Amino acid sequence: KDVTGSGAAGLPVVAAAMGVGLVCVPQLGRALRIPPRLAALVAVGTSVCGVTAVMALSPAIAATEAEVALAVANVVLWGTVGMLAYPPLVRAIFGTEDEEKASKRCGIVLGLGIHDTAQVMGAALAYKQAYGDETAMNTAVVTKMCRNAMLAGALPFLVLTTKGAAMSGRGGISISKAVPPFVWAFLSLSALCSAS
C-alpha cells in the first residue's frame, strides 16, 4: 500500500538509478583499474542498501577483508555527507514548487541519493523536523525500502558479472550464496505487510 501511495512515483526512478549504478560502477572500476570485487561491492553498496548490501555480496564473490573495508568506508563516508547535506539542499532545489510535488521529489531524492538505510532514515526525519513535511519523510522511507527490496535481484546479477572477472585462485563463487536468507525474509515480510 505504501509503495502504491507514497512510492509509486519513485519506482521508475529507483529502477533506472539502480540499473545505471549496478552496470556503470563496475565498468568505471575497470577503467580506473579498481579490482572487480571492490567495484562490485561499491556498486551494490551505493546502488542498493549500503553496508548491508556490501556484507551480503562479499562472501558470494569471495571479497577480501580489505575490499570489504574499503567499500564499507566509501558507503559510510558518502552516505554521511549525503545525510547531512541533502535535506537543506533538496529543500533549496524543490521547496518553491507545488507543495505536494516538492514533498514527493524531496523524498525520492533523499531515499535514492543516500546509501545506507539508517542514513536515509536520519535525513528523512531531519527533513520532517526542519520543514514539517511528513510526506517527504514517508516518500523517502518507501523509496529506500524499494531499493532494499531490489537487493534480491542485484546480488545474483553482480555475482554473475563479477564471476569471470576476478575469481581465479579464490575458490570460486557460489550462486547459492548470492541471496542470503535475510533478503528472502525481508521480501516476505514486506509482501505480508503490504497485503494487510
Side-chain angles (χ1 to χ4, degrees):
K1 293 176 186 179
D2 286 338
V3 172
T4 58
S6 297
L11 283 175
V13 177
V14 169
M18 286 185 59
V20 168
L22 292 172
V23 171
C24 292
V25 170
Q27 289 179 354
L28 181 60
R30 274 193 291 283
L32 297 174
R33 298 181 186 193
I34 294 171
R37 289 184 305 260
L38 176 57
L41 293 171
V42 170
V44 78
T46 56
S47 299
V48 185
C49 61
V51 175
T52 302
V54 170
M55 298 309 292
L57 180 63
S58 62
I61 62 170
T64 66
E65 288 182 13
E67 290 167 335
V68 172
L70 285 169
V72 167
N74 175 68
V75 166
V76 171
L77 172 65
W78 295 112
T80 301
V81 169
M83 179 179 67
L84 299 173
Y86 286 9
L89 183 63
V90 297
R91 180 66 175 198
I93 293 170
F94 299 117
T96 58
E97 291 185 18
D98 170 79
E99 189 175 335
E100 185 176 337
K101 282 184 183 178
S103 293
K104 289 192 177 191
R105 288 180 180 167
C106 289
I108 289 169
V109 171
L110 292 174
L112 191 59
I114 301 171
H115 307 315
D116 206 63
T117 303
Q119 295 165 332
V120 171
M121 300 311 157
L125 182 59
Y127 191 90
K128 176 188 171 192
Q129 290 175 343
Y131 306 110
D133 191 342
E134 190 158 350
T135 299
M137 184 184 86
N138 292 339
T139 302
V141 170
V142 171
T143 300
K144 183 62 180 140
M145 292 298 109
C146 290
R147 284 177 59 200
N148 290 357
M150 292 185 186
L151 184 61
L155 291 176
F157 171 76
L158 285 170
V159 167
L160 291 171
T161 58
T162 305
K163 180 179 181 180
M167 292 296 105
S168 61
R170 300 272 319 159
I173 59 173
S174 170
I175 298 299
S176 65
K177 290 183 185 175
V179 182
F182 79 86
V183 174
W184 296 117
F186 171 78
L187 291 173
S188 298
L189 291 173
S190 295
L192 182 64
C193 288
S194 294
S196 60

